Amino acid sequence: MLSQLSAAALTGIDALKVEVETNAASGIPSFTVVGLPDNAIRESRERIMTAIRNSGLELPPKKITVNLAPADVRKEGTAFDLPIAIGLLGALQQIDHQLDNTLILGELALDGSVRRINGALPSAIMASKEPIRRIILPSVNAEEAAVAIGASGSSIDVYGVETLNQTVNLIRSPSSFSPVTVNIDELFREPPEYPVDFRDIKGQQTAKKALEIAAAGGHNLIMIGPPGSGKTLLAKALPGIMPPLGFEEALETTKIYSVANLLQRDRPLMTERPFRSPHHTTSNVALIGGGTTAKPGEVSLAHNGVLFLDELPEFTRNALEVLRQPLEDREVTVSRITITTKYPASFMLVAAMNPSPAGALKDQDGNFTATPQQIRKYLSKISGPLLDRIDIHIDVPKVDNRELFSASGGEDSATIRKRVIQARALQHERFTKNKGVFTNAQMSPKLIRRFCQLDSECESKLMNAMDRLNLSARAHDRILKVSRTIADLEGTENIAMGHLIQAIQFRSLDREFWNF
């Protein structure tokens, strides 16, 4: 007998509907899975048969054939265990109910229990666009799928199961089980907690202002300063002043973490902006994504959040160069022989580095800690094209001892966040008719010409700065974008001389500030 039901295959951060067709016929006992399955699916034969027997269900000797359609798309992972097992029981007539409108996902243990899977959220989003009326998946993934169904307004019922037997009973008597629902508003009701508040950071007022500008305009930023000056602490405080995630942003971010199996079990939806800080020994694949079984990399895990690269020159040259595409296109393309996958990668890059390979630029006696040649070689590890894609360069000097013992660290993150949100609101209104543009950092040359116009005095000042600092055309555009953001923070319509000068000062790596 032939049975049919639906499952899902992951392609990037999206899911594709897969028809699981199972046929049980008389003949030499065998179990064959066709339709481009990977090794994990081929090995499912032993898991499925053992789980069925250990669940007390009958498994007569039959010639079993399972087809995963469409047959020209490769299927990966263990989420096909449960749908194949249910399809097999249907083909053996142990389940008499129709499963055509049912999506089933789950990995089976040998004792028949159902384990967590990757990609429940994108699979549920896919189901909401298909003629699916019921989703059955592991209990630990049920709320995750319910978020997607609730967001789509679909009438699909989501059920979480713990065992194969429970799944069979659910199919036989669905009225005995209650579907899982999630209150999305409740998920956003609790304010996120951030580990570092700007009020706790002593001194560094210039660096704090630079971070506020970066958060307001979505600008990439690099901090240059000696060890212990607070660069890492400043970076960790940045998410606390960024605007809260909107629902669409939260859903897209959660899809990435769902596919990468990094979603916390008690958080079906990510409501905080991600902060990723990979070590400088991270490989190119781990940073950008891909691998034998393609997975999102750090740049995608930082989507809608912050990617912090500490000790930037210690990263390999290749690792830094692969950042150029996501910084420009806000997505990553991973190409393999059989498939090309795109992952979103719209993040704020925050980098930190020492001014010298020895750490501080000068010692306590005022002597340089390294020769000019060593310092220039150290700085040359960061290519010009990569620096051109970083809008703000800021010096972070050692904090004065008197500031360390002061009672106040200045404004708290909540106060700064209010100004950032107001500046973002101005940008949202400005770019309403420009699809895909949400912040000043994302402006195209055409939009720069339209929204970053300068008067003659400012144009003369910028021209002189470009000649003196030997700036590239891309650096010219970055200065205008930052100037626009500074004006937005002050609520002014036009870019003034003060805004422009401040933006130019935020290009310290373009200046000869090491006086050898």
Side-chain angles (χ1 to χ4, degrees):
M1 181 178 176
L2 177 67
S3 72
Q4 292 180 311
L5 55 88
S6 297
L10 297 177
T11 57
I13 65 166
D14 296 313
L16 174 71
K17 182 181 176 183
V18 174
E19 296 291 344
V20 180
E21 302 171 338
T22 308
N23 187 72
S26 301
I28 300 175
S30 63
F31 194 124
T32 306
V33 182
V34 296
L36 282 185
D38 71 345
N39 289 334
I41 298 175
R42 292 192 186 97
E43 292 174 354
S44 66
R45 172 182 180 274
E46 299 300 329
R47 288 194 301 273
I48 292 169
M49 295 180 72
T50 304
I52 290 176
R53 293 192 181 100
N54 287 338
S55 297
L57 299 168
E58 295 182 10
L59 188 61
K62 293 283 184 178
K63 182 180 180 180
I64 300 166
T65 305
V66 179
N67 179 44
L68 306 178
D72 59 343
V73 176
R74 186 167 181 80
K75 291 84 179 177
E76 299 176 344
T78 57
F80 289 92
D81 289 4
L82 186 60
I84 291 175
I86 295 299
L88 175 56
L89 293 173
L92 294 173
Q93 297 183 321
Q94 295 192 38
I95 301 176
D96 298 329
H97 295 74
Q98 292 292 326
L99 300 173
D100 294 348
N101 60 354
T102 303
L103 177 75
I104 302 178
L105 300 167
E107 176 186 341
L108 283 174
L110 297 184
D111 62 353
S113 59
V114 180
R115 290 176 172 161
R116 182 188 180 96
I117 60 166
N118 300 347
L121 182 68
S123 299
I125 292 174
M126 175 275 296
S128 67
K129 302 173 184 177
E130 299 283 345
I132 300 293
R133 292 290 173 267
R134 177 174 55 179
I135 299 176
I136 301 173
L137 74 173
S139 293
V140 292
N141 295 109
E143 289 190 352
E144 184 184 340
V147 166
I149 299 305
S152 67
S154 175
S155 59
I156 299 176
D157 291 329
V158 177
Y159 296 95
V161 293
E162 300 281 352
T163 65
L164 178 59
N165 269 328
Q166 189 179 8
T167 309
V168 173
N169 293 333
L170 168 61
I171 293 172
R172 288 172 175 170
S173 181
S175 59
S176 302
F177 295 80
S178 300
V180 176
T181 58
V182 173
N183 187 334
I184 296 176
D185 293 334
E186 190 70 27
L187 297 176
F188 283 93
R189 194 159 293 158
E190 294 185 10
E193 296 182 3
Y194 298 101
V196 182
D197 193 284
F198 266 64
R199 181 177 47 197
D200 302 326
I201 303 174
K202 301 298 178 67
Q204 304 298 6
Q205 298 305 320
T206 302
K208 290 179 182 179
K209 186 61 180 179
L211 286 171
E212 179 183 343
I213 295 168
H219 301 289
N220 302 319
L221 175 143
I222 184 169
M223 296 179 283
I224 310 101
S229 58
K231 301 186 296 295
T232 302
L233 197 64
L234 285 163
K236 289 182 177 179
L238 179 59
I241 66 171
M242 295 177 69
L245 276 176
F247 178 73
E248 292 300 327
E249 289 180 311
L251 200 62
E252 192 171 42
T253 304
T254 306
K255 284 172 66 176
I256 298 171
Y257 278 73
S258 175
V259 169
N261 196 24
L262 294 175
L263 197 62
Q264 297 180 17
R265 298 196 175 191
D266 59 342
R267 293 179 59 189
L269 183 70
M270 291 192 63
T271 56
E272 297 179 16
R273 293 191 181 274
F275 180 89
R276 304 294 299 185
S277 180
H279 193 260
H280 59 77
T281 57
T282 300
S283 67
N284 296 2
V285 172
L287 189 63
I288 209 72
T292 306
T293 56
K295 285 189 174 182
E298 292 290 340
V299 296
S300 295
L301 295 173
H303 182 63
N304 291 323
V306 176
L307 176 67
F308 177 50
L309 302 184
D310 201 3
E311 304 294 347
L312 186 66
E314 300 301 328
F315 284 80
T316 65
R317 185 65 176 260
N318 288 339
L320 294 179
E321 292 306 304
V322 297
L323 290 174
R324 288 163 61 176
Q325 185 212 359
L327 285 174
E328 200 71 25
D329 301 335
R330 291 181 287 141
E331 66 178 12
V332 171
T333 303
V334 179
S335 297
R336 295 293 181 265
I337 295 176
T338 56
I339 192 171
T340 297
T341 304
K342 289 188 177 182
Y343 296 109
S346 181
F347 58 89
M348 275 183 61
L349 173 65
V350 178
M353 59 179 287
N354 299 324
S356 165
L361 185 62
K362 296 181 180 180
D363 59 23
Q364 293 179 350
D365 298 326
N367 299 317
F368 286 104
T369 58
T371 65
Q373 293 77 14
Q374 289 174 326
I375 294 176
R376 289 192 179 98
K377 182 180 179 181
Y378 174 74
L379 296 175
S380 68
K381 293 181 179 180
I382 308 171
S383 68
L386 178 60
L387 279 179
D388 276 348
R389 288 169 169 82
I390 299 177
D391 302 351
I392 299 175
H393 310 164
I394 183 69
D395 301 331
V396 185
K398 182 180 178 181
V399 181
D400 187 271
N401 290 336
R402 287 171 295 183
E403 292 181 318
L404 286 176
F405 287 94
S406 65
S408 174
E411 292 181 305
D412 61 6
S413 294
T415 302
I416 300 173
R417 189 190 307 121
K418 290 179 181 177
R419 292 198 297 267
V420 170
I421 292 173
Q422 289 173 357
R424 287 284 186 108
L426 290 175
Q427 295 166 55
H428 177 75
E429 183 179 353
R430 178 182 300 134
F431 303 126
T432 300
K433 297 180 181 179
N434 302 101
K435 187 177 180 180
V437 180
F438 306 100
T439 62
N440 289 332
Q442 298 169 354
M443 283 192 290
S444 64
K446 181 179 179 181
L447 292 176
I448 292 173
R449 289 194 301 271
R450 180 179 175 186
F451 296 115
C452 301
Q453 296 179 3
L454 303 177
D455 58 29
S456 58
E457 186 180 2
C458 289
E459 284 184 353
S460 177
K461 183 68 175 179
L462 181 55
M463 188 179 301
N464 290 336
M466 291 191 65
D467 291 338
R468 189 174 71 254
L469 301 177
N470 194 26
L471 299 179
S472 67
R474 184 178 279 116
H476 166 272
D477 290 350
R478 304 287 174 185
I479 290 173
L480 290 177
K481 291 177 181 180
V482 174
S483 301
R484 180 67 267 170
T485 300
I486 297 171
D488 288 342
L489 281 169
E490 295 185 4
T492 59
E493 183 177 352
N494 299 319
I495 297 174
M497 179 64 74
H499 307 145
L500 182 64
I501 292 175
Q502 192 174 359
I504 294 172
Q505 290 175 340
F506 286 144
R507 301 292 302 183
S508 61
L509 286 180
D510 295 325
R511 307 194 305 264
E512 291 291 339
F513 64 103
W514 290 283
N515 298 315
F516 301 127

